[in-house]
Amino acid sequence: MRKFLIDTDTASDDAVAMCMALRHPDIDVVGFTVVAGNVPLAQAVQNALYTVELCGENTPVYVGHGRPMLRDLGTAQDVHGEDGMGDIGLPLSGRTPAEGWAPEVIVDTIRQNPGEITLVAIGPLTNLAAAILWAPDIAEKVERVVIMGGTGEHGPGNVSPTAEFNFWVDPEAVSVVLRSGMPLEFVGWDISIESAVVTNERQEQLRALGELGSFSVDIQATLQGFAWEETRLAGPDFPDPIAMAHAIDPAPATMEHLGVDIAVGVEPMRGTMIVDHYGFAQLPKNVNVVTHYPEDAFFAMLTDLLR
Ligand code: RIB
Ligand code: CA
């Protein structure tokens, strides 16, 4: 069994990624740590608890940071819905998280399982940065750190012309992670729009799988509108699920080891991922950036896990 610790700002695509990990026979999800991002923290915690219960598990869900390190929180409720889960009336309240503070859970879990933890971050990196600042030693004890974030080699932004949401929310946290020495693998929004767009045909295939398949489509109600009106994609895209697919099975991926930095500061640069392709800035090669993940491999895994 491989041990996954998943940090999430649970909304409609995070929930699908969570189901994938919970349903995989070879993966032991040791816990979910929650961070504010798509929705305010309390809602993200309830969404995570609901999703764990829907999968028939009792995996602990831990509360984390309710806002970025140095900025006010900017949510994506216009994209995922007020409740983050498509505003379709799910009972997303009244559940109780586990005792424990997310950054401390990240540190303790990695220290107690040296070389065994795959940390999957599918929201803003505030919790991860707090853990690193408090316990830098975790960088050499964690086995893999797979992050949904950024725009890959040269993809477009989804919250500004050049910034992807998770990196835009807390760019200072991204800067801490980039300088931590952790074994970083980035799956950017470019990979999602290339290989994880859930067209009507794919939606019908998912619905045919049953309860979890239907859930994974129904909660995209708001994201569907954002896709049609803003990004002009042929359907809602699944950035967190394809990042989770890479965490589960990196074999189909193409990756490049690149020097990466992040633009902090104000618009229009805030949260822009800087890739030093030609070494002009002499940035250390600190990230394995996924440059391709095959669409068929992703949807085959998604279908198997939601069946
Ligand atoms: O840019 C996509 C990312 O932002 C995903 O993690 C999505 O859940 C939102 O958090
Ligand atoms: Ca997310």
Side-chain angles (χ1 to χ4, degrees), residues 9 11 13-14 38 80 122-124 148 158 164-166 189 239-240:
D9 60 335
D13 66 314
D14 302 68
N38 283 318
H80 293 277
I122 52 178
M148 191 282 131
N158 59 8
E164 174 279 325
F165 179 76
N166 287 339
W189 193 56
D240 293 344

Side-chain angles (χ1 to χ4, degrees), residues 230-278:
E230 305 286 339
T231 54
R232 299 275 185 267
L233 294 172
D237 66 298
F238 273 4
D240 293 344
I242 198 165
M244 186 60 73
H246 175 70
I248 291 169
D249 181 12
T254 306
M255 289 197 274
E256 263 195 78
H257 198 207
L258 296 167
V260 176
D261 204 347
I262 185 82
V264 294
V266 295
E267 302 301 357
M269 291 306 291
R270 171 183 172 175
T272 297
M273 176 173 158
I274 299 162
V275 181
D276 192 14
H277 283 281
Y278 304 113

Side-chain angles (χ1 to χ4, degrees), residues 113-245:
N113 303 273
E116 294 181 21
I117 299 295
T118 294
L119 181 58
V120 186
I122 52 178
L125 298 181
T126 317
N127 287 338
L128 186 47
I132 292 163
L133 290 173
W134 178 48
D137 59 287
I138 63 173
E140 68 258 8
K141 293 176 179 136
V142 65
E143 191 198 15
R144 287 175 73 200
V145 180
V146 177
I147 294 174
M148 191 282 131
T151 46
E153 271 203 291
H154 39 63
N158 59 8
V159 71
S160 81
T162 56
E164 174 279 325
F165 179 76
N166 287 339
F167 282 14
W168 176 87
V169 167
D170 197 343
E172 285 79 9
V174 179
S175 184
V176 169
V177 171
L178 286 170
R179 286 158 176 78
S180 68
M182 283 183 143
L184 301 175
E185 297 168 56
F186 281 5
V187 184
W189 193 56
D190 57 322
I191 303 302
S192 184
I193 57 179
E194 176 194 22
S195 300
V197 174
V198 192
T199 60
N200 288 339
E201 183 184 1
R202 297 272 192 203
Q203 291 182 33
E204 289 322 305
Q205 290 165 353
L206 289 173
R207 286 192 190 286
L209 299 174
E211 184 188 28
L212 278 187
S214 295
F215 167 74
S216 72
V217 175
D218 291 343
I219 59 177
Q220 313 308 332
T222 310
L223 183 61
Q224 176 99 34
F226 181 73
W228 283 338
E229 284 145 35
E230 305 286 339
T231 54
R232 299 275 185 267
L233 294 172
D237 66 298
F238 273 4
D240 293 344
I242 198 165
M244 186 60 73

Side-chain angles (χ1 to χ4, degrees), residues 1-8 18 21-24 26-34 52 57-62 98-100 102 104-120 142-144 244:
M1 295 287 276
R2 288 180 288 159
K3 292 179 178 176
F4 276 33
L5 179 62
I6 300 167
D7 192 75
T8 166
M18 291 171 64
L22 288 168
R23 304 269 299 172
H24 196 290
D26 303 338
I27 289 170
D28 171 18
V29 182
V30 297
F32 293 101
T33 50
V34 184
V52 168
E57 301 290 344
N58 57 8
T59 312
V61 172
Y62 300 97
E99 287 295 313
E104 196 161 351
V105 168
I106 293 170
V107 171
D108 291 348
T109 303
I110 292 170
R111 282 180 172 165
Q112 288 157 17
N113 303 273
E116 294 181 21
I117 299 295
T118 294
L119 181 58
V120 186
V142 65
E143 191 198 15
R144 287 175 73 200
M244 186 60 73

